[in-house]
Amino acid sequence: MLSYTEENYLKAIYHLSGSGTKAVLTSEIAETMNTRAASVTDMIKKLSAKNMISYEKYYGVKITRQGKAEALMVVRKHRLWETFLVQKLHFSWDEVHDVAEQLEHIQSALLIEKLDEFLEFPTVDPHGHPIPDKTGKFVEVRQIPLSDCSGKKKITIRAVRNGSPSFLQYLSKIGVYIGATVAILEKIEFDGSLEIMIDGKKKVFISREASQNLLVTE
Amino acid sequence: MLSYTEENYLKAIYHLSGSGTKAVLTSEIAETMNTRAASVTDMIKKLSAKNMISYEKYYGVKITRQGKAEALMVVRKHRLWETFLVQKLHFSWDEVHDVAEQLEHIQSALLIEKLDEFLEFPTVDPHGHPIPDKTGKFVEVRQIPLSDCSGKKKITIRAVRNGSPSFLQYLSKIGVYIGATVAILEKIEFDGSLEIMIDGKKKVFISREASQNLLVTE
DNA sequence: ATAAAAGTTTAGGGTTATCTAAAAAATTTT
DNA sequence: AAAATTTTTTAGATAACCCTAAACTTTTAT
Ligand SMILES: [Mn+2]
Ligand SMILES: [Mn+2]
Ligand SMILES: [Mn+2]
Ligand SMILES: [Mn+2]
């Protein structure tokens, strides 16, 4: 059984490790958790003692199989709650993250199973991120940043890489949403910005930075 | 801003004080919170410093206007979540309390307003308890224990006084629910138990203890 | 009216999660 | 290869919440 704080650290480590593929440094954890390195070292020892991570002094941590499973359950809860907030309570996609940060720590296996069923077993959250099933599995669709796309193929917006409220609000404002169809009309040499057509009816320019934060399939 | 623990203490004090009408003793709080009197004294000082309660050493605490308002918001959240769990996620009424104990501490005014709307502004929770509105007001219906009823009037079950899972499961088993109509067929002198008719079709005997924990209107 | 009992507070600690400052180790620069 | 810099760990504190044991106050019983 993990505490609220331990769950948050473990989730951060999971994300920073690229779903458990690489080691994570103390300073990276401190950065994302908004804490000091000394606090991270303390927590690392606790998570290590609980076999959630393996820890080599001065060389960062690796998440264990067990730690990954726990992290995935927190991610599952976070994304199911975000889906609930948008689909049932009509939150906008920029309002849900902070509330889900709290809701993801509610302890009740029954609750999360019933919520999943109520939402009809969604596979992605409002930001296009995959929702792990109760065994921790999820479908991984190969997605690439819009900035890496070329030509005039038909492109579908699948997910946002950065979920900050300001980016999400901006996307809503210009008419970009998960599932939208876009075509690249022109790539501006000067600054890497793109002129795109959204759903075949709206032309807009978006910055390179914005295009790097939109994940798409061609 | 109150902590998770402060909210729980304040809610307990509110309930123990009879909605703020009488003083509450340290020992009573310790009893319901499953803590020691010494811990209660510590918390009393904190809540007192935050003007949630007024405190006279050795003579217990009284909840302030502000404290009552805060407590009512926690009660509102608790009961709205219980209603959600039963009506939308199809929990049974004996499964919701522990989960609601966690959910009641989620901090988001928007969430609770949207949840209220989603549930179509319910006035009572699954146990028949009134749900305060966003200003803290709720309808108080005069209810009496079934054990205090006499004669063969038409009686409606309005609420349970004791919400323990075992009592609720027992009620479901014998067919008693909020809104059910009952009639008293006979009061057994020997032990105060009652023979009742539920919804005009099912006769059962219930103990005095059970009848004292059913609140009804005649 | 006193003594005993019951209830409450204070004193002194323990745990978790955080911090700053100092020490230690690794990495980068010269 | 040293020196300088960066990163990490350790040491020592603090705040919130809880505990036991002892001291103090109120209530009850004799
Ligand atoms: Mn999120
Ligand atoms: Mn998301
Ligand atoms: Mn309840
Ligand atoms: Mn209830």
Side-chain angles (χ1 to χ4, degrees):
Chain A
M1 188 99 291
L2 300 176
S3 74
Y4 187 103
T5 308
E6 287 168 342
E7 285 190 344
N8 280 334
Y9 269 93
L10 197 59
K11 184 173 62 134
I13 292 167
Y14 171 76
H15 287 311
L16 287 168
S17 72
S19 308
T21 55
K22 56 179 194 281
V24 182
L25 302 177
T26 302
S27 52
E28 298 177 292
I29 301 170
E31 170 75 20
T32 49
M33 296 295 292
N34 281 302
T35 55
R36 302 303 175 149
S39 309
V40 173
T41 301
D42 281 352
M43 182 53 77
I44 278 174
K45 287 176 185 165
K46 287 178 56 186
L47 288 173
S48 193
K50 292 189 177 186
N51 287 308
M52 294 294 148
I53 56 179
S54 61
Y55 169 47
E56 202 186 337
K57 245 182 169 186
Y58 292 101
Y59 295 91
V61 301
K62 287 204 199 77
I63 198 160
T64 62
R65 175 193 298 264
Q66 204 194 331
K68 187 174 167 177
E70 292 283 347
L72 279 166
M73 283 307 109
V74 179
V75 170
R76 168 170 161 78
K77 289 193 277 181
H78 183 100
R79 293 179 179 167
L80 281 174
W81 279 117
E82 285 190 344
T83 304
F84 166 72
L85 294 174
V86 168
Q87 291 189 0
K88 302 294 184 177
L89 298 195
H90 310 301
F91 275 63
S92 56
W93 66 345
D94 57 287
E95 295 171 322
V96 297
H97 182 77
D98 290 351
V99 184
E101 281 294 306
Q102 298 178 63
L103 287 164
E104 72 188 7
H105 302 289
I106 302 293
Q107 301 288 350
S108 167
L110 182 62
L111 172 62
I112 211 67
E113 292 318 304
K114 296 222 182 223
L115 183 63
D116 198 13
E117 188 182 349
F118 182 54
L119 298 171
E120 298 176 81
F121 308 103
T123 58
V124 294
D125 82 1
H127 310 106
H129 302 140
I131 300 176
D133 69 15
K134 72 167 109 176
T135 70
K137 292 197 189 70
F138 57 88
V139 283
E140 269 204 277
V141 179
R142 201 195 341 278
Q143 298 167 344
I144 58 171
L146 178 59
S147 54
D148 291 4
C149 292
S150 53
K152 290 215 182 73
K153 300 179 201 94
K154 188 182 160 185
I155 295 167
T156 306
I157 305 288
R158 296 295 180 189
V160 293
R161 183 175 255 169
N162 174 320
S164 73
S166 61
F167 182 51
L168 297 174
Q169 283 161 23
Y170 161 69
L171 293 177
S172 296
K173 183 186 168 88
I174 64 172
V176 169
Y177 57 95
I178 303 302
T181 297
V182 301
I184 296 176
L185 301 179
E186 196 181 344
K187 181 162 196 163
I188 310 299
E189 282 297 327
F190 173 64
D191 60 2
S193 65
L194 299 177
E195 186 184 23
I196 60 174
M197 171 74 84
I198 303 167
D199 285 335
K201 44 185 191 220
K202 193 178 172 191
K203 282 189 207 174
V204 289
F205 286 94
I206 63 169
S207 69
R208 178 208 288 274
E209 170 135 24
S211 68
Q212 286 171 335
N213 281 292
L214 286 172
L215 297 175
V216 306
T217 52
E218 286 180 324
Chain B
M1 187 99 289
L2 300 176
S3 73
Y4 187 103
T5 309
E6 287 167 343
E7 285 190 344
N8 279 333
Y9 270 93
L10 196 58
K11 186 175 59 134
I13 291 167
Y14 170 75
H15 286 311
L16 287 169
S17 72
S19 308
T21 54
K22 56 179 193 281
V24 181
L25 302 178
T26 301
S27 53
E28 298 177 292
I29 301 170
E31 169 76 20
T32 49
M33 297 295 292
N34 280 302
T35 56
R36 301 304 176 148
S39 309
V40 173
T41 301
D42 281 352
M43 181 54 76
I44 279 174
K45 287 176 184 164
K46 287 178 54 184
L47 289 173
S48 193
K50 292 191 177 186
N51 286 308
M52 295 293 148
I53 56 179
S54 62
Y55 169 46
E56 202 186 337
K57 243 182 170 187
Y58 293 102
Y59 295 91
V61 302
K62 287 205 198 77
I63 197 159
T64 63
R65 176 194 299 263
Q66 205 193 332
K68 186 174 167 178
E70 291 283 346
L72 279 166
M73 282 307 109
V74 179
V75 169
R76 168 169 162 78
K77 290 192 277 181
H78 184 101
R79 293 179 180 168
L80 280 174
W81 280 116
E82 286 191 343
T83 304
F84 167 73
L85 294 174
V86 166
Q87 290 188 1
K88 302 293 183 177
L89 299 195
H90 310 301
F91 275 64
S92 55
W93 67 344
D94 56 289
E95 295 171 322
V96 297
H97 182 78
D98 290 351
V99 183
E101 281 294 306
Q102 298 178 63
L103 288 164
E104 73 188 6
H105 302 290
I106 302 293
Q107 301 288 350
S108 169
L110 182 62
L111 173 62
I112 211 67
E113 291 319 303
K114 296 222 182 223
L115 184 64
D116 199 13
E117 189 183 347
F118 183 53
L119 299 171
E120 297 174 81
F121 308 104
T123 57
V124 293
D125 83 359
H127 312 104
H129 302 140
I131 300 176
D133 70 16
K134 71 168 109 174
T135 70
K137 291 196 189 69
F138 56 87
V139 283
E140 270 203 278
V141 179
R142 199 192 347 273
Q143 298 166 344
I144 58 170
L146 178 58
S147 54
D148 291 4
C149 293
S150 53
K152 289 216 180 75
K153 303 181 198 91
K154 190 182 158 185
I155 295 166
T156 306
I157 304 289
R158 296 294 179 189
V160 293
R161 179 175 258 169
N162 173 321
S164 72
S166 62
F167 181 51
L168 297 174
Q169 283 162 24
Y170 161 70
L171 293 178
S172 295
K173 185 186 167 89
I174 65 172
V176 169
Y177 57 94
I178 303 300
T181 297
V182 301
I184 296 176
L185 302 180
E186 195 180 346
K187 181 162 196 163
I188 311 298
E189 281 296 326
F190 173 64
D191 59 1
S193 65
L194 299 177
E195 186 182 23
I196 61 174
M197 171 75 82
I198 303 166
D199 285 336
K201 45 183 190 224
K202 193 178 171 194
K203 282 188 206 176
V204 288
F205 285 94
I206 63 170
S207 69
R208 177 207 290 272
E209 170 136 24
S211 68
Q212 286 170 335
N213 281 292
L214 286 171
L215 297 176
V216 305
T217 52
E218 287 180 323

